[in-house]
Amino acid sequence: MSTTAEATRRAPVDSTPHVARLPEPLAGPRPTRGIPFGRLVRAELRKMTDTRAGRWLLAAIGVVVAGALTVLFVQQGGEHPFGDYLQATTLPMALLLPVVGILAVTSEWSQRTALVTFTLEARRARVAWAKVVAALAVGVVAVATSFALAAAAHAAAVGLRGASGDWGIEGTALLGAGGYVLLGMLQGLAFGMLLRNTPAAVVLYYVLPTGWSILGSLWSAAASAGEWLDLNRTMQPLFGGSLTGEQWAQLGTSVGVWVVVPLLVGLVWVSRAEVK
C-alpha cells in the first residue's frame, strides 16, 4: 500500500488542457462538382417567368395575341389564310418577349442579386450559358404556343365562321416565324449582358432598328449596308418563300453582327465584370 501511494506521489502531473479531437475526415478526393447545369437552367427559367415583371410581360403578350386573333376571327368572316393567323401570334411575341431576356440579366445586376448567384456558383460562364439555354427554352415554348394558337384560331374560323381553310404556307415562312422569335430573344439577352442596365438595354434594343431605317432613308450608303446588316430587312425574304445564295449570306451576316457577336462579347463581360 505504501509503495503504491509513493508511486502516485512521484507520477508527473499533466497540466496541458485536454482538447476534444474532431473525427478524421473520410478518405477520398475532395468534391469538385458544382451545382448541376440543369439546376442552373431551371433557376434561370424561374427568374424569367416567376417574377412580377416577367409575369406582367407574359400577360401583356397573351392579351395582345388574343386581341390580334379576335380581330382576324371577326373581320371578313374569318376569311384569312393560316399565315395571317401565324403572323398575328408570332409578331407580338417577337416584339415583347426579348424584354424578358433583357430583364433576366439586368435585374440581377441592378438589384445586386448577382452577388448571391455568383457566390453559389462562382463559375460565371456556367451561369451565363444557363441563361442562354433558358432563353432558348422560353423562345421554343413561345414558338410552339404561337403555332398552336394560330392553328386553333384558323380551325375555329373554318368550323364556326364557315371560312375556307387555307393552310398552305412555305417552309421558309415557318422558319422565319420561329427564327424571328428565337433571334429576338437571344438579341435581347445579348443586349442585357452587354449593358447590364435595364433602361439602356430596352431603349437601344428598340431604337437601333428604327434609327437604322431612318438613316437608310436619308443616306444611300447606309441603305446599301442595310442589305447586309439590317436584320429586319434580311429576314423578309424568308416570308416570301425562297432565298437566293446571296440572301442567305446577307441573313447570316446580319445575325452574326446583331446576335452572335453581342452575345459572345456579353458572355465575356458578364464573366469578368464587377457587380456594383
Side-chain angles (χ1 to χ4, degrees):
M1 178 69 71
S2 59
T3 305
T4 303
E6 183 179 357
T8 302
R9 287 194 300 269
R10 292 179 180 178
V13 178
D14 187 6
S15 60
T16 304
H18 293 281
V19 179
R21 290 187 177 182
L22 298 176
E24 294 293 334
L26 298 177
R30 296 180 60 185
T32 57
R33 293 185 58 189
I35 300 175
F37 188 74
R39 190 180 302 172
L40 291 176
V41 173
R42 291 194 298 271
E44 296 302 328
L45 284 172
R46 286 196 297 271
K47 293 176 186 177
M48 292 182 182
T49 59
D50 197 24
T51 61
R52 183 177 301 176
R55 288 194 296 267
W56 274 107
L57 274 172
L58 295 177
I61 293 173
V63 170
V64 174
V65 169
L69 290 177
T70 301
V71 170
L72 289 178
F73 186 80
V74 173
Q75 281 185 344
Q76 302 175 5
E79 193 68 39
H80 301 281
F82 171 68
D84 290 351
Y85 286 94
L86 184 60
Q87 183 178 5
T89 57
T90 55
L91 186 59
M93 292 187 182
L95 291 177
L96 297 178
L97 202 60
V99 180
V100 177
I102 292 174
L103 292 175
V105 181
T106 57
S107 60
E108 281 198 317
W109 290 80
S110 60
Q111 300 175 12
R112 302 187 68 188
T113 55
L115 290 171
V116 179
T117 301
F118 296 146
T119 300
L120 296 174
E121 176 51 82
R123 291 171 292 183
R124 295 190 182 187
R126 298 182 78 240
V127 177
W129 280 111
K131 292 181 183 293
V132 174
V133 174
L136 286 175
V138 172
V140 168
V141 172
V143 170
T145 303
S146 66
F147 279 41
L149 290 175
H154 187 46
V158 172
L160 300 177
R161 303 298 307 274
S164 58
D166 185 1
W167 296 93
I169 189 170
E170 297 290 340
T172 54
L174 295 176
L175 178 63
Y180 198 27
V181 176
L182 292 175
L183 290 176
M185 189 71 177
L186 288 178
Q187 189 179 3
L189 187 71
F191 274 55
M193 289 183 176
L194 280 175
L195 301 173
R196 300 182 301 282
N197 180 276
T198 302
V202 172
V203 169
L204 285 181
Y205 179 82
Y206 288 108
V207 168
L208 281 179
T210 304
W212 186 275
S213 300
I214 296 174
L215 185 62
S217 63
L218 299 176
W219 188 24
S220 58
S224 300
E227 297 178 358
W228 290 86
L229 300 178
D230 190 344
L231 187 58
N232 290 327
R233 290 181 59 181
T234 58
M235 289 195 68
Q236 287 302 319
L238 284 172
F239 301 97
S242 62
L243 279 81
T244 63
E246 183 181 10
Q247 288 173 330
W248 278 113
Q250 292 171 343
L251 177 60
T253 302
S254 61
V255 170
V257 170
W258 291 106
V259 179
V260 177
V261 172
L263 185 60
L264 293 178
V265 175
L267 287 169
V268 174
W269 282 16
V270 167
S271 300
R272 298 181 178 181
E274 180 184 358
V275 183
K276 298 181 180 180

